[in-house]
Amino acid sequence: MSFRDLKNFTEMMRALGYPRLISMENFVTPNFTLVTEILIWLVRRYEPHVDIPTDVDTESDRIFFIKAVVQFMATKAHIKLNTKHLYQADGYAVKEMLKITSVLYNAMKTKQMALEDAVEEDSNKFKFDLGSRISELKAARQLASEITSRGASLYDLLGKEAELREMRTAAIARPLEINETEKALRAAIKETLEIVEKIKEMLSNVVSDETSLDAKIEKKKQDLERHQKRLQTLQSVRPAFMDEYEKIEEELQKQYEVFVEKFRNLTYLESQLDEYHRLEQDRFEEAENCLRIMQHKLREEERDLMKGSLKDSDSDLDVPEDEGSDSDLEESRPSKPQPSRNAPMAGRGARFIGNMQGDDSEEVSHCHLDFKGAFSSLQKFQSDDSEIDADEDDTLQVLLSKSNRPPRGGVRPALPEESDDDF
């Protein structure tokens, strides 16, 4: 008896539900009482209604009990047991009882597996997988169409049965001619032999093709090995131009860095140039706005001066109707402004520019200075793109003459004193 058999026996008895705990130390020495209990339990587990004597007090009773158990297992379970080993009641008896327990244990496992399969089948009954039945549905649809076509053809053939019956009976009633039969058989045999010859030729061609294909495969294998060796040699050898290639690659990397730097600088300079052009355009627009303001103010001043000159001419033409003395008339006459020697004389059609307010002159002069600076910068940067009109040139000359003229509101030239010598 081995330790493995004893361990398997104890585990199987525990799985079968033996009520007593069996230890591996129980069979070190002969223990006939325990062997008797185990055999009775195993026999009744196999056949619950069996009648076996349980009296083992004397030697003859023990022998009779062992013979009855061995006979029962041989006839019912077809298990052959050794009576001597069972009577020893030690490890050899365990080896004999292991035969019975293994049968019962396998039966229990088979029953459990059957129950599990039944439960699984019951659970699968309620599952319907349409994906697995698609092929079956296609086959059923195809069979249905085939049945319909076969039924239609059968109906047509049955309709021709009346005509075919007469032809069939006539053919059956006709006596067979041996010569024709032999001739048909010879033709069939000849045709069969030709087919066999063709098949043999095809087989021989297959053999030749197989040999040629084997030769080609072998040749291709040799070519593959040769090319692999060539590839290994090429990979191991460094090309002669590799150093030059690496050097050129480094130079290319440097040139690319220089290109990137120059491109970045060029982009920045273009943005700065665009910004500068925008500022110049703003300054030009500001100068044009200032020029329009100055022109408007000059027109207003000319209009005011024309109105003032008309009023002065009207006042000079008016004569008072007083009959007083000449001295009173001269005293009542308003003094006329007379130009000084150094002052320029206004000819016919001359214009007087200015008014009695000093603040306007300062504003106009300031705007004139701003316009002069803007105009000079505009001539410097946009001399080729734009030209100033003749009206703007005249206005600019008027502004320049106005800036050189003394401010309005200053000291007017002194009028000559009137005396009696003028008469």
Side-chain angles (χ1 to χ4, degrees):
M1 180 206 67
S2 64
F3 177 79
R4 181 179 178 182
D5 294 337
L6 186 59
K7 184 179 179 181
N8 291 336
F9 178 73
T10 56
E11 293 293 335
M12 287 180 183
M13 292 297 290
R14 189 181 296 112
L16 290 172
Y18 185 69
R20 181 178 173 180
L21 183 63
I22 300 173
S23 175
M24 288 184 289
E25 302 292 335
N26 296 129
F27 298 99
V28 175
T29 58
N31 192 351
F32 195 83
T33 305
L34 180 60
V35 171
T36 303
E37 293 177 359
I38 293 171
L39 287 174
I40 292 171
W41 187 84
L42 289 174
V43 170
R44 288 180 178 175
R45 180 67 184 270
Y46 193 85
E47 184 65 35
H49 303 289
V50 68
D51 187 11
I52 293 178
T54 59
D55 189 9
V56 290
D57 293 335
T58 61
E59 182 179 355
S60 59
D61 294 336
R62 290 195 290 272
I63 293 171
F64 184 73
F65 172 74
I66 294 296
K67 287 183 177 180
V69 170
V70 170
Q71 186 177 1
F72 174 79
M73 296 305 299
T75 55
K76 296 293 184 181
H78 302 284
I79 299 173
K80 186 178 180 180
L81 300 176
N82 193 341
T83 55
K84 292 182 179 180
H85 291 168
L86 287 174
Y87 192 80
Q88 290 178 5
D90 53 1
Y92 294 102
V94 171
K95 190 173 183 181
E96 295 298 325
M97 290 186 292
L98 186 61
K99 298 178 182 179
I100 305 171
T101 54
S102 62
V103 172
L104 294 174
Y105 182 73
N106 292 331
M108 184 184 68
K109 285 179 67 177
T110 305
K111 185 178 180 180
Q112 289 179 357
M113 292 174 65
L115 290 174
E116 290 177 358
D117 294 338
V119 172
E120 187 175 359
E121 288 178 0
D122 293 337
S123 63
N124 290 331
K125 285 180 181 179
F126 300 99
K127 295 180 180 179
F128 182 73
D129 189 6
L130 185 60
S132 61
R133 298 296 180 88
I134 290 175
S135 60
E136 295 179 2
L137 290 174
K138 291 181 179 179
R141 192 178 294 110
Q142 185 177 1
L143 289 174
S145 62
E146 188 176 353
I147 288 169
T148 305
S149 61
R150 293 292 178 85
S153 61
L154 182 61
Y155 179 78
D156 294 336
L157 293 175
L158 289 175
K160 298 178 181 179
E161 177 63 21
E163 299 176 359
L164 296 175
R165 188 184 296 113
E166 296 178 358
M167 296 173 65
R168 185 171 59 252
T169 54
I172 292 171
R174 188 180 62 181
L176 294 175
E177 294 181 1
I178 297 174
N179 296 327
E180 294 180 358
T181 305
E182 289 180 354
K183 187 177 181 181
L185 289 175
R186 288 193 186 94
I189 291 169
K190 185 178 181 181
E191 186 176 357
T192 305
L193 292 175
E194 290 178 356
I195 293 172
V196 170
E197 290 294 332
K198 289 181 180 179
I199 292 172
K200 288 182 179 180
E201 289 179 359
M202 291 174 64
L203 289 175
S204 62
N205 292 332
V206 166
V207 173
S208 61
D209 293 339
E210 185 178 359
T211 54
S212 63
L213 288 174
D214 291 337
K216 289 181 180 179
I217 291 170
E218 188 67 25
K219 185 178 180 180
K220 293 294 182 182
K221 286 182 179 179
Q222 293 177 359
D223 293 339
L224 177 62
E225 292 177 357
R226 184 170 62 255
H227 289 308
Q228 286 180 350
K229 291 179 181 179
R230 178 63 178 170
L231 177 62
Q232 291 177 359
T233 54
L234 291 175
Q235 288 178 351
S236 60
V237 176
R238 183 180 176 84
F241 58 86
M242 199 64 187
D243 297 333
E244 185 179 359
Y245 173 76
E246 292 177 354
K247 189 182 295 183
I248 293 172
E249 189 175 5
E250 292 177 358
E251 292 180 359
L252 179 61
Q253 184 67 25
K254 292 179 182 179
Q255 293 295 330
Y256 179 73
E257 292 176 358
V258 172
F259 166 73
V260 170
E261 184 178 359
K262 289 185 178 181
F263 182 77
R264 184 169 58 249
N265 294 336
L266 180 61
T267 306
Y268 175 73
L269 291 174
E270 286 178 353
S271 63
Q272 291 294 321
L273 182 60
D274 294 337
E275 183 69 19
Y276 179 73
H277 287 320
R278 188 181 62 79
L279 293 175
E280 288 296 325
Q281 185 68 23
D282 293 341
R283 290 179 62 186
F284 178 70
E285 291 176 358
E286 184 178 359
E288 287 183 349
N289 293 330
C290 185
L291 180 60
R292 293 192 195 97
I293 294 169
M294 291 169 63
Q295 289 178 353
H296 182 68
K297 286 184 178 181
L298 289 173
R299 293 192 188 98
E300 293 292 335
E301 289 177 0
E302 289 178 359
R303 192 179 298 111
D304 294 338
L305 288 174
M306 293 294 291
K307 289 180 181 179
S309 62
L310 291 173
K311 288 180 181 180
D312 291 339
S313 62
D314 292 338
S315 62
D316 291 339
L317 293 174
D318 291 336
V319 177
E321 296 179 357
D322 192 1
E323 294 180 355
S325 60
D326 295 335
S327 61
D328 294 335
L329 181 61
E330 291 175 359
E331 288 177 1
S332 63
R333 183 184 298 171
S335 60
K336 295 181 181 179
Q338 294 182 2
S340 60
R341 296 178 180 178
N342 296 327
M345 296 298 291
R348 186 176 181 181
R351 295 185 298 176
F352 293 92
I353 301 173
N355 57 9
M356 298 300 292
Q357 297 178 357
D359 295 334
D360 294 337
S361 63
E362 293 177 1
E363 183 179 358
V364 172
S365 62
H366 177 69
C367 185
H368 168 67
L369 293 175
D370 293 340
F371 173 73
K372 188 175 181 180
F375 182 72
S376 62
S377 63
L378 183 64
Q379 284 182 343
K380 183 177 179 180
F381 294 100
Q382 295 183 354
S383 60
D384 297 334
D385 299 330
S386 64
E387 294 180 357
I388 301 175
D389 297 335
D391 294 337
E392 294 179 357
D393 292 338
D394 295 337
T395 308
L396 183 61
Q397 291 177 4
V398 171
L399 292 174
L400 292 175
S401 62
K402 186 177 177 68
S403 62
N404 295 326
R405 190 182 62 202
R408 282 173 288 180
V411 180
R412 292 180 179 273
L415 296 174
E417 296 180 359
E418 294 181 358
S419 63
D420 295 336
D421 298 334
D422 294 333
F423 294 98

